[in-house]
C-alpha cells in the first residue's frame, strides 16, 4: 500500500509543486476557462512564484507525496 507523506516543502520542491498546481487548474477549470488560457499556464513561472512563497517565513507550505511523486500541496500564511 502506498502511503501519502505530508512534510514541509522546501524551495527545491517548487518545480514539482508548480507542475501539480498547473495540472490541477487545467483539470478543475476545464469547463470554466478557455482552453487556450489553460494551455498557456506556465509551469516555470509558477515555480518561480512557489519559490518565493516557500521562502517566505510567514507562509507555511506543505507537500503531499506518494512514492516521492508530488500529488498535492497546501499553504497558509498572512492574508494578502
Amino acid at each position: 500500500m502506498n502511503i501519502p507523506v505530508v512534510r514541509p516543502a522546501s524551495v527545491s520542491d517548487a518545480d514539482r509543486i508548480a507542475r501539480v498546481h498547473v495540472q490541477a487548474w487545467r483539470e478543475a477549470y476545464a469547463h470554466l476557462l478557455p482552453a487556450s488560457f489553460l494551455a498557456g499556464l506556465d509551469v516555470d513561472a509558477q515555480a518561480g512564484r512557489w519559490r518565493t512563497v516557500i521562502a517566505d517565513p510567514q507562509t507555511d507550505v506543505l507537500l503531499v507525496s506518494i512514492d516521492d511523486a508530488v500529488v498535492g500541496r497546501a499553504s497558509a500564511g498572512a492574508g494578502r
Side-chain angles (χ1 to χ4, degrees):
M1 175 182 229
N2 301 341
I3 299 171
V5 174
V6 179
R7 64 169 175 80
S10 66
V11 172
S12 65
D13 295 315
D15 292 328
R16 298 185 322 151
I17 290 172
R19 280 192 292 278
V20 168
H21 184 158
V22 167
Q23 188 61 34
W25 266 68
R26 288 178 176 156
E27 292 180 26
Y29 298 112
H31 66 291
L32 297 172
L33 298 172
S36 60
F37 173 82
L38 295 171
L41 293 175
D42 186 337
V43 172
D44 291 333
Q46 286 296 328
R49 290 182 191 101
W50 277 108
R51 277 188 279 283
T52 300
V53 170
I54 294 166
D56 183 345
Q58 294 185 5
T59 304
D60 294 314
V61 179
L62 298 176
L63 174 123
V64 183
S65 64
I66 297 176
D67 294 336
D68 202 39
V70 175
V71 296
R73 52 92 184 153
S75 60
R80 293 181 198 173

